[in-house]
Amino acid sequence: MPTDTQFATDWLEERNRFDEAARNPQVEHAFLQAAQQYEPVNIIDLGAGSGATFLYLAPKIQGSQRWTLVELNPSLLKHARQRIQLWGHAKGMQTTLDEADQIVLQRDKQEISIQFIKGSFLKLDRLLPLQHYQLATASAVIDLLSPEMLEQLLQVLYNYELGFYTMLNYQGMQFFPEEGQDAAMIAAYEKHMQRQQDFGRALGPDCADAFRQTGQQLYGKSPVEGQSDWIIRPSDRLMHRHLLSFMEKSIPEVAPKLDLPGWLERKQQLLEQGQLRLTVAHLDQFLPYHAS
């Protein structure tokens, strides 16, 4: 997980085109149907980063919208604000700032307001008046949470009757052409995701199962689900380099005896030869809230 702000911004922008291509249309449709039930619809984006989820979903929702982007990193939040203002101008929308420093975008009868909140979404019920919202979204977030953190978050959202649309939940990866050490390297990378940290152990590749199980217990139903895999082709050299770099930094912390340098050298050779491909498996999931 990138920590340097400029690198994090560069990484988020690079991955964005893979995210957009991967998003599952059936799960997205279920979310959009839920959003269309409200006018305006009030949505919280958790771990909003540089605003990619808003920029992807807002044009797909008919009618007026009120978004709240929650992000802990102030630099990413500033970048999100800039991107959204540019997007509004590019779409020919009237762009203003209201007295609360929210961006308000208007065109014809549609109004979209966006407020930006610096803070942890793990304290969501202390950050926001959740009774005014109907839906929450999160992209590539829940794999970073511990089981307890996910359970607490879902409990808060359920208590306030919010549906939850969570996208790009990591499940695994597979390199092509395959080689004998791939499985050990991927297992070590995922072990690093789930290493002991101050808050506990992150869910990593177990996040979709945990979301499904906890969601069923609280919401009384299974989420709408669908695959949202990244397909990384030989020509996607920068994306390959990003992911191999993450593995190079992570694996030695949990599996120092693996021949990581030799494995990386072979992957780099395949990349230079235009032969390396990679599939990163994700699952999109949507839990609608229906009053019983």
Side-chain angles (χ1 to χ4, degrees), residues 232-267:
I232 305 172
R233 297 174 173 83
S235 58
D236 299 319
R237 298 164 71 89
L238 180 58
M239 190 62 160
H240 279 296
R241 291 195 177 103
H242 272 307
L243 294 172
L244 290 172
S245 174
F246 297 157
M247 298 181 82
E248 182 178 18
K249 293 172 182 175
S250 303
I251 290 172
E253 293 185 26
V254 295
K257 294 183 180 180
L258 288 177
D259 181 20
L260 179 61
W263 182 80
L264 285 170
E265 183 178 354
R266 292 190 295 276
K267 291 292 183 259

Side-chain angles (χ1 to χ4, degrees), residues 263-281:
W263 182 80
L264 285 170
E265 183 178 354
R266 292 190 295 276
K267 291 292 183 259
Q268 292 291 350
Q269 288 173 352
L270 288 169
L271 183 58
E272 294 303 320
Q273 294 164 5
Q275 297 179 28
L276 187 63
R277 291 176 290 122
L278 173 62
T279 296
V280 181

Side-chain angles (χ1 to χ4, degrees), residues 28-274:
E28 179 183 301
H29 178 70
F31 168 78
L32 293 175
Q33 279 193 315
Q36 298 303 153
Q37 296 176 26
Y38 305 97
E39 176 64 31
V41 62
N42 294 266
I43 304 171
I44 312 169
D45 187 33
L46 310 179
S50 57
T53 299
F54 166 85
L55 291 169
Y56 179 79
L57 289 174
K60 297 174 179 283
I61 299 173
Q62 304 299 315
S64 294
Q65 308 162 43
R66 295 172 182 162
W67 285 77
T68 298
L69 275 56
V70 179
E71 170 57 49
L72 198 56
N73 185 322
S75 297
L76 289 178
L77 210 55
K78 180 180 178 182
H79 188 56
R81 176 184 287 273
Q82 293 169 343
R83 291 182 73 195
I84 290 169
Q85 286 179 306
L86 289 171
W87 174 80
H89 286 302
K91 294 292 183 181
M93 304 182 84
Q94 180 182 346
T95 305
T96 57
L97 293 177
D98 68 11
E99 63 275 6
D101 204 30
Q102 297 181 121
I103 295 176
V104 180
L105 306 174
Q106 293 176 303
R107 183 174 56 197
D108 300 327
K109 295 182 179 180
Q110 186 184 40
E111 179 177 290
I112 304 175
S113 66
I114 310 99
Q115 68 170 328
F116 302 85
I117 302 293
K118 178 188 175 297
S120 169
F121 62 76
L122 297 174
K123 302 174 182 178
L124 199 58
D125 50 350
R126 285 177 265 170
L127 280 180
L128 296 167
L130 294 180
Q131 66 271 21
H132 299 313
Y133 294 86
Q134 295 90 37
L135 294 165
T137 61
S139 293
V141 164
I142 67 169
D143 60 304
L144 304 174
L145 305 181
S146 70
E148 296 77 17
M149 292 159 74
L150 177 61
E151 184 174 350
Q152 290 167 11
L153 175 61
L154 281 169
Q155 183 69 65
V156 167
L157 295 176
Y158 176 76
N159 288 347
Y160 284 91
E161 304 182 359
L162 274 72
F164 191 20
Y165 180 27
T166 178
M167 296 149 274
L168 300 154
N169 301 322
Y170 177 84
Q171 289 192 298
M173 60 171 64
Q174 186 174 10
F175 287 93
F176 304 94
E178 295 182 79
E179 69 152 276
Q181 280 200 302
D182 285 357
M185 296 298 173
I186 293 168
Y189 183 55
E190 293 176 350
K191 183 179 179 181
H192 184 269
M193 292 181 190
Q194 296 179 308
R195 71 196 183 281
Q196 184 66 42
Q197 300 183 66
D198 292 343
F199 60 83
R201 295 184 187 276
L203 285 159
D206 298 329
C207 64
D209 288 342
F211 184 88
R212 183 185 308 112
Q213 181 178 351
T214 306
Q216 285 174 334
Q217 292 169 354
L218 289 172
Y219 285 70
K221 64 176 70 68
S222 298
V224 181
E225 298 184 343
Q227 289 298 131
S228 52
D229 299 348
W230 285 348
I231 307 299
I232 305 172
R233 297 174 173 83
S235 58
D236 299 319
R237 298 164 71 89
L238 180 58
M239 190 62 160
H240 279 296
R241 291 195 177 103
H242 272 307
L243 294 172
L244 290 172
S245 174
F246 297 157
M247 298 181 82
E248 182 178 18
K249 293 172 182 175
S250 303
I251 290 172
E253 293 185 26
V254 295
K257 294 183 180 180
L258 288 177
D259 181 20
L260 179 61
W263 182 80
L264 285 170
E265 183 178 354
R266 292 190 295 276
K267 291 292 183 259
Q268 292 291 350
Q269 288 173 352
L270 288 169
L271 183 58
E272 294 303 320
Q273 294 164 5

